[in-house]
Each structure stands twice: as C-alpha cells, then as structure tokens.
Amino acid sequence: MPKFFFNKLFRCLSIFLLLNSSISPAKSSSALAAWILNSNGILEFRTKSNSKLKAYFQKGGNVFGDRFWIDFPGELKTPRTIEGNGPIKEIRLGKPNKGKTRLVIEFSESNNLKPLNWRLVAIDKNRWKIKLFSLPRKSFQTIGEGLVGKSSNNPKANQKLIHSRRENYKFLQLPDIKRNKFYVVIDPGHGGPDRGAIGIGGLRETDVVLDVSKRVKKLLSEKGVMVKLTRNNEIDLDLPPRVSIANKTDADIFVSIHANASRGKRRDINGLETFYYSGWRGRLLAKKIQKQILKVSPGSPDRGVRQGRYFVIKNTRMPAVLVEIGFLTGRLDARRLEKSIHRERIAYAITKGILEYLSRI
C-alpha cells in the first residue's frame, strides 16, 4: 500500500506520491483507461498493467482551489473539462507535457479534506482506489468515464456510467433527426492574422470561436449531420470564400460563430445575441439558437434576435445566422468563455438549437 509523504521542496503544502513499477513507452496512448469518482468519495481508476503513476495534492490559493492530480504515462488524445458537483469544482483531463496524461480533481472552497490520511490502494495490477472525502448519502453525484472493473458483459452498466457523466450537463437533451439528410456549414469567425476581438487577459476571439465550432461539428456529426467547417485552424480566410464554401456545398443552413467586444472595453457590458438577414427560416434558426445559449449563460443579458447585414449571412443562399456568444471584454462573459467547460456548454447549446430547427423543417 503506497503512502503519501512530505516533500520539503513544495512550500505550497504539496503532498507527493510516487508509485514505482515498469513504465509504458512515453509516446504510447494514455495508460489511464477508465475512472470514476463515486458518491461515497472514493476515486477508482483502471490503467494499463504495471503502470508508473505520480500523484500530488496541492493546497489552494487565490486562483485555484485545493487540487489532487495523478500523472499517467502515455498521451491523452482529447483534453477535456467536466463540471463537478458538491465538493468537486471540476475535473480536468489534460496533457501536462508530451507523452503524459494528467487527471486533476479541483475541490470547491467548502471542503473538509484530510490528505494526510489518504491512502492509494492497489486493487490489482491495473486497478486502484483512494478515498478523498466523506459526505452524507446522496449529497454527491457520481462522475466517471468508462468501465473501471476488469470486464463487463452488462451493457446497461456502461450506459449508466455514460448517463452519470452526461447528467452534469443538465441542459443537455439533443433531439434526434434523420441521419445523413442535412448538411450544415459552421463558420468560426476571423482566423490567422485577423484575431478578432481581444478580451480580458488577452483572450482572443479567433481561439474561442474555433474551439466552440469544432465542438459543434463533433456533436452534429454524432447525430448524423454532415458538417463542414470553413476553417479548421488559424488561417487567414476572407469573407467571400466563407460564403462560397456554403453555397458550393448547397448546405441546408450556415452558422457563423463570433464573440463580442465593447467600445472602450467596458467590463460591465455582457450579453448574447443572434443575427439573421431575412426570411422566416433564418429568424426561426436564430431564435432556436438564441434560446439555447441563454440557458447555459445565466445572468448574461439577452440582447435578442436581430436582423443584420453581415456579409456572410447576407450573401449565403440558405438560412444563415451569426451568433455572438458573449463579450470577451465583459467581466461575466469573459470569465466564462475562458473556461473549457463553458465553451462546451455553448457548443451543446448551439447544437441543440440547430437540431431543433432541422427537426422542425
């Protein structure tokens, strides 16, 4: 049973745990196969056999709450952030450096952690568990990904784990539509030398909207929608080519995603709005998207569905909208948009609006 021990080099009250055994190649896929944080406060996870792990605890400060994390050999393919509940602020899976995977559990301010009593127990050669906290029954909702057990022939158990993860997105219930029937063009605004709006802390519009757009594409594709992005990376793309892409593909709809900035960078100005050029179909699409993005941005003002003469929605031949997902210069919106979990919420909201529109027509 490995034990935590103090490392005097960590003045921030870090606790460091090192588990030594054979190590997987650094360039292999992640050794972390599945994990679950149960409602009883026990974190369990499954790894490749005989993996070398490093685990840490760090006391919180002004920026971060108390954090516990484990580093695994092998590189994670898709970094992500999962919203927590109860004593858990959020859970992050990322790549601290090349060839590594990191699972981070960040705790909320109100917790009663006792890391000196923590013990990481090896259940077998590829399964581990550690009790992080204790709470009254049903006061914490289980969060997890994959099957931690050795094997399972029960598909319902797998579906339960997936459902428990998705319950963290309480707003999420994406409509089903006929697969391979619709074609959608998603346009991440700006790109390359055109960075768009620059917000608080140097937050760039081009980065935010590209990330959201890629998430929307993934979600729509999973629902059987054919999707084209006008740009997949930081390239310089003028307005006419964006319109041309949509018109050449004969898409059913065109959605351009942007983020706002106020004159004088006033931090008190926040809000979401969606523009359309003309026609009831364009207005309907705008209304569907606006309704959903407001649901995941409580407190941010509703700036409404409005007509606009933006080039990309004026010159496309299909129903088209331009979505402003918040003010990068606004104190409330910027704080949200800089977080991966909120960009994921926005992407789900835009996706749901699109699917509701497609199911209607």
Side-chain angles (χ1 to χ4, degrees), residues 249-305:
T249 55
D250 196 25
D252 292 284
I253 61 172
F254 175 92
V255 178
S256 188
I257 300 176
H258 290 254
N260 241 325
S262 63
R263 292 182 180 179
K265 297 187 176 181
R266 289 177 52 183
R267 297 194 175 197
D268 60 317
I269 296 180
N270 300 272
L272 299 91
E273 55 193 340
T274 306
F275 295 89
Y276 72 102
Y277 175 62
S278 64
W280 71 268
R281 289 177 183 267
R283 178 174 174 79
L284 176 63
L285 175 58
K287 289 176 67 176
K288 293 289 186 183
I289 292 176
Q290 179 73 3
K291 178 181 177 181
Q292 295 304 323
I293 60 176
L294 286 170
K295 285 183 178 180
V296 300
S297 305
S300 192
D302 178 6
R303 294 171 63 90
V305 170

Side-chain angles (χ1 to χ4, degrees), residues 198-237:
I198 304 296
I200 297 173
L203 193 61
R204 306 193 316 169
E205 180 179 5
T206 180
D207 300 327
V208 171
V209 300
L210 180 59
D211 181 39
V212 171
S213 297
K214 286 181 175 180
R215 295 172 190 257
V216 172
K217 178 183 178 181
K218 181 176 182 296
L219 291 167
L220 286 173
S221 298
E222 290 173 352
K223 284 293 183 178
V225 178
M226 295 171 283
V227 186
K228 173 75 173 178
L229 288 180
T230 57
R231 67 179 179 96
N232 290 284
N233 47 43
E234 288 303 324
I235 61 170
D236 187 10
L237 186 64

